[in-house]
Amino acid sequence: MKKLVVAVVASLTLLSCAKKASADDISKINGYWEIESVIMPDGSEKDYTVNPTIDYFEVKGKEGFRKKVMPQFDGTYKVNDGSEKISISEKDNKVYMDYTTTYAKWQEELLELTDEELVVKNQHGIEYHYKKPEPFTVK
């Protein structure tokens, strides 16, 4: 019985240490993010080793935008006019990013957000794991 209690306490401690995304951390999203992997609802995973586009986020308060940018060999980014409006919302202790374009509206739950990692889940249960991109260098 004593071992069971110790195991339960240890499990709860580990779960409580996991950093959950909060609206207070949203400023960490600002900047460039590259998709590292995608986890499908069935648990299968796809790794992205090369990305032709990178996401650029800019959020102030609870409003902002996301743009797709293309890294260039000289370290700059090629940018087009398209962007997605973002608004941040909270419901049931969860943080959501609500996207709006001329053609569509959708929502992603913000699961994790640190200086180096971003994880979101869309309405289809697909998780997108982002990392900060490394600058391209010619060797």
Side-chain angles (χ1 to χ4, degrees):
M1 181 69 173
K2 187 175 182 180
K3 287 182 181 181
L4 177 63
V5 171
V6 170
V8 169
V9 170
S11 298
L12 290 174
T13 301
L14 286 174
L15 288 174
S16 67
C17 290
K19 175 103 170 84
K20 190 175 179 185
S22 77
D24 296 336
D25 295 331
I26 203 66
S27 65
K28 292 179 182 178
I29 203 168
N30 291 324
Y32 298 96
W33 292 92
E34 174 179 25
I35 293 179
E36 184 173 33
S37 64
V38 174
I39 300 175
M40 304 305 284
D42 67 2
S44 62
E45 185 172 348
K46 179 178 179 180
D47 292 327
Y48 286 78
T49 55
V50 176
N51 291 304
T53 62
I54 291 175
D55 290 357
Y56 175 77
F57 290 88
E58 189 173 305
V59 176
K60 293 179 182 165
K62 294 193 179 232
E63 302 289 325
F65 66 89
R66 175 174 75 173
K67 288 181 93 56
K68 298 285 186 184
V69 300
M70 294 182 294
Q72 304 297 298
F73 290 116
D74 64 359
T76 62
Y77 294 98
K78 190 174 188 180
V79 182
N80 65 23
D81 291 335
S83 68
E84 300 157 350
K85 182 181 173 190
I86 298 174
S87 62
I88 306 301
S89 62
E90 294 180 78
K91 184 178 178 184
D92 299 328
N93 261 351
K94 295 179 181 180
V95 180
Y96 296 92
M97 295 190 301
D98 302 299
Y99 294 90
T100 305
T101 68
T102 305
Y103 307 104
K105 290 183 180 186
W106 68 98
Q107 185 177 70
E108 292 178 332
E109 180 183 351
L110 185 59
L111 298 178
E112 292 182 42
L113 179 57
T114 67
D115 291 329
E116 299 298 320
E117 184 178 19
L118 167 63
V119 180
V120 297
K121 181 165 51 170
N122 71 13
Q123 67 271 22
H124 304 293
I126 301 171
E127 282 187 21
Y128 295 87
H129 293 249
Y130 290 83
K131 66 179 181 177
K132 290 289 187 174
E134 295 181 25
F136 180 81
T137 57
V138 179
K139 295 182 181 180

